[in-house]
């Protein structure tokens, strides 16, 4: 039966959770055990407020209750050895587990999982993995009031992750600066091409405790060493060779990421909630005024790995026209990536929801949107959407409206991760992509490397 279960599920994109769901189960079991030992500890005030919302709102309470019951009890979800049945069986248990999570950083969780080394990159996501895919879960996680409270919970955790107490998970014996962890992080950055050590890849001080990182967040948004990710065809090069390619025609990769999708002729409004998840510009860009110039253009989407680099770089030189941070959902996945198709003989819920819902979450999740007027008139106006997903919800811009930026400049970062991002181009912008797809979901594309050329 184990072989059958394996065949039913896709790879866990981005290494946010282990590819073997049994690893998630093992981690959740130990979390449940710890939460039970702390059962008498009062819930954090943000969790008390959230629980009060559920307790006192009939509709939300019904959704929160039923989403834990609706995970199927038919094979393969009740089968050994992976045992897919939900372990968190009520919203009371959910809050008890989150109460533990709020006081610690994401752990380095070593295992034999070669894909993610057992990384539980989304600990709250790990306990909601299956309920997110139910009909009631879809309703619960799209409720505006529910998302207001998720934001408060995640903000509270972000405050802890930015403080010195969060460094305990960075220890050099069993934590993120242990030899095993540093090797995995270096391997991800090298991607089978380079041979840097962690210290050669990233700015740090290995002579200091925790490699000099002042918090979990400081570790997570670590910078590459200078010249590790050079800018392809940098703008402003003095005395270019006659006949050489105009460097401003080269668009570079905005994030260290793996290509996901590229779609042309995107529409102002589309049915992004359906199984095909077409891009809908008015929803992605939060309004017709921003979306209008891009109707009929194209969207390129790529996702970030938990183990990699989370800062954003300018893909072109130009002027920042607008910046907007849009609140949204945090744990919503496309309904058809959940349990919706089981009745049709297609029991293929996303085992790392919402990874297989990336086009969908580009329209609904918390996100940061920037528009840039490129110096190269053949590129013109372009947009970038940085999409928060689950625990990844903080999008920080380093630039402001009106700023001049140079290709390769740092322009922002995800805090605690980074899930996915989209580059949006006008129909007038004719591009030749270095890799036009279809894409290999294991391939890493380096930040600042050539993404596309204006033709």
């Amino acid at each position: 039966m184990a072989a059958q279960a394996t065949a039913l599920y896709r790879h866990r994109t981005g290494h946010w959770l282990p590819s073997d769901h049994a690893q998630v189960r093992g981690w959740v079991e130990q979390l449940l055990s710890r939460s039970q030992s702390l059962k008498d500890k009062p819930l954090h005030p943000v969790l008390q407020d959230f629980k009060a919302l559920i307790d006192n709102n009939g509709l939300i309470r019904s959704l929160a209750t039923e989403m834990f019951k609706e995970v199927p009890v038919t094979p393969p979800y009740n089968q050994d050895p992976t045992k897919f049945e939900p372990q968190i069986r009520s919203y009371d248990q959910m809050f008890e587990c989150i109460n533990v999570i709020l006081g610690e950083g994401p752990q380095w969780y070593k295992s034999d999982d070669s894909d993610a080394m057992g990384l539980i990159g989304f600990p709250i996501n790990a306990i909601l993995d299956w309920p997110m895919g139910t009909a009631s879960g879809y309703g619960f996680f799209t409720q505006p009031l529910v998302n207001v409270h998720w934001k408060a919970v995640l903000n509270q955790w972000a405050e802890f992750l930015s403080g010195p107490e969060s460094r305990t998970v960075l220890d050099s014996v069993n934590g993120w600066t242990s030899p095993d962890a540093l090797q995995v992080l270096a391997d991800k950055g090298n991607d089978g091409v380079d041979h840097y050590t962690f210290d050669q890849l990233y700015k740090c001080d290995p002579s200091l405790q925790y490699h000099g990182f002042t918090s979990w967040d400081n570790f997570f948004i670590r910078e590459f060493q200078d010249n590790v990710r050079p800018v392809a065809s940098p703008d402003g090069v003095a005395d270019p060779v006659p006949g050489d390619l105009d460097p401003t025609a080269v668009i570079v990769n905005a994030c260290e990421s793996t290509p996901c999708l590229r779609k042309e002729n995107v529409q102002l409004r589309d049915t992004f909630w359906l199984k095909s998840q077409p891009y809908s510009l008015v929803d992605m860009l939060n309004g017709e005024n921003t979306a209008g110039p891009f109707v009929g253009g194209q969207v390129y989407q790529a996702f970030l790995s938990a183990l990699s680099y989370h800062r954003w770089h300018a893909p072109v030189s130009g002027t920042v026209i607008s910046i907007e941070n849009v609140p949204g959902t945090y744990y919503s996945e496309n309904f058809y990536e959940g349990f919706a198709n089981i009745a049709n003989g297609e029991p293929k819920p996303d085992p790392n929801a919402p990874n297989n819902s990336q086009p969908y979450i580009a329209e609904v999740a918390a996100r940061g949107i920037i528009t840039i007027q490129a110096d190269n008139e053949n590129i013109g106006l372009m947009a970038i959407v940085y999409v928060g997903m689950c625990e990844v919800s903080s999008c920080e811009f380093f630039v402001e409206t009106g700023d001049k930026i140079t290709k390769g400049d740092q322009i922002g970062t995800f805090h605690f991760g980074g899930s996915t991002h989209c580059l949006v181009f006008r129909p007038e912008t004719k591009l030749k992509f270095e890799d036009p797809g279809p894409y290999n979901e294991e391939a890493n594309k380096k930040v600042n490397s050539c993404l596309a050329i204006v033709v």
Side-chain angles (χ1 to χ4, degrees), residues 179-427:
D180 285 336
L182 293 180
Q183 185 61 57
V184 169
L185 295 169
D187 288 346
K188 183 61 182 176
N190 289 323
D191 198 36
V193 176
D194 300 316
H195 303 282
Y196 296 111
T197 66
F198 179 89
D199 304 341
Q200 291 168 335
L201 273 171
Y202 297 105
K203 294 180 178 179
C204 61
D205 188 344
S207 69
L208 297 177
Q209 188 179 25
Y210 310 121
H211 270 51
F213 295 112
T214 57
S215 67
W216 160 263
D217 184 67
N218 183 240
F219 162 75
F220 205 85
I221 64 170
R222 59 191 178 272
E223 297 183 70
F224 277 125
Q225 296 280 12
D226 296 339
N227 302 319
V228 165
R229 293 293 188 264
V231 178
S233 301
D235 296 345
V237 176
D239 301 322
V241 177
D244 277 4
L245 176 69
D246 176 5
T248 68
V250 176
I251 299 169
V252 300
N253 200 31
C255 295
E256 188 89 358
S257 54
T258 297
C260 175
L261 290 171
R262 185 174 66 87
K263 294 291 186 181
E264 298 178 343
N265 194 30
V266 289
Q267 300 303 300
L268 181 65
R269 291 182 175 85
D270 218 325
T271 53
F272 64 88
W273 56 87
L274 296 183
K275 188 172 184 178
S276 58
Q277 302 181 53
Y279 293 113
S280 177
L281 290 170
V282 72
D283 301 289
M284 177 188 292
L285 297 174
N286 201 40
E288 288 192 37
N289 289 340
T290 303
F294 302 104
V295 175
Q298 64 179 309
V299 173
Y300 166 84
Q301 185 167 9
F303 57 86
L304 286 76
S305 167
L307 302 174
S308 194
Y309 176 78
H310 304 99
R311 293 176 180 247
W312 319 328
H313 290 244
V316 297
S317 297
T319 303
V320 177
I321 300 301
S322 65
I323 288 175
E324 183 179 13
N325 278 294
V326 181
T329 64
Y330 297 93
Y331 293 95
S332 179
E333 69 171 307
N334 181 274
F335 183 65
Y336 296 95
E337 289 292 346
F339 292 103
N341 287 328
I342 279 191
N344 300 324
E346 298 182 54
K348 298 179 181 179
D350 180 358
N352 189 18
N355 268 351
N356 296 339
S357 303
Q358 291 192 52
Y360 164 81
I361 65 170
E363 278 83 8
V364 302
R367 58 203 182 276
I369 304 167
I370 184 172
T371 59
I372 301 168
Q373 183 69 38
D375 289 343
N376 187 306
E377 61 183 16
N378 293 321
I379 299 174
L381 186 69
M382 66 170 295
I384 313 172
V385 184
Y386 298 101
V387 185
M389 183 169 73
C390 300
E391 280 89 320
V392 182
S393 58
S394 297
C395 299
E396 179 188 3
F397 287 97
F398 300 157
V399 294
E400 298 179 350
T401 300
D403 283 355
K404 291 287 292 181
I405 56 176
T406 300
K407 183 167 64 182
D409 285 353
Q410 288 189 30
I411 60 173
T413 189
F414 289 110
H415 288 275
F416 185 27
S419 56
T420 191
H421 74 299
C422 300
L423 274 65
V424 187
F425 300 97
R426 301 173 307 135

Side-chain angles (χ1 to χ4, degrees), residues 105-111 116-120 169 171 173-185 216 307:
Q107 300 169 17
W108 168 251
Y109 183 71
K110 186 183 177 183
S111 78
M117 291 299 290
L119 169 69
I120 304 295
V169 295
D171 77 84
V173 178
N174 298 308
W176 287 95
T177 60
S178 65
D180 285 336
L182 293 180
Q183 185 61 57
V184 169
L185 295 169
W216 160 263
L307 302 174

Side-chain angles (χ1 to χ4, degrees), residues 55-97:
D55 287 343
N56 297 306
N57 185 305
L59 172 60
I60 293 176
R61 186 172 70 255
S62 68
L63 295 172
T65 300
E66 296 303 314
M67 71 180 181
F68 291 102
K69 297 179 179 180
E70 290 174 7
V71 177
V73 294
T74 55
Y77 308 103
N78 63 345
Q79 304 265 334
D80 287 330
T82 49
K83 297 181 180 176
F84 287 97
E85 74 270 16
Q87 297 155 277
I88 309 297
R89 300 181 180 277
S90 69
Y91 66 83
D92 287 319
Q93 278 189 309
M94 175 186 77
F95 284 128
E96 289 169 3
C97 288

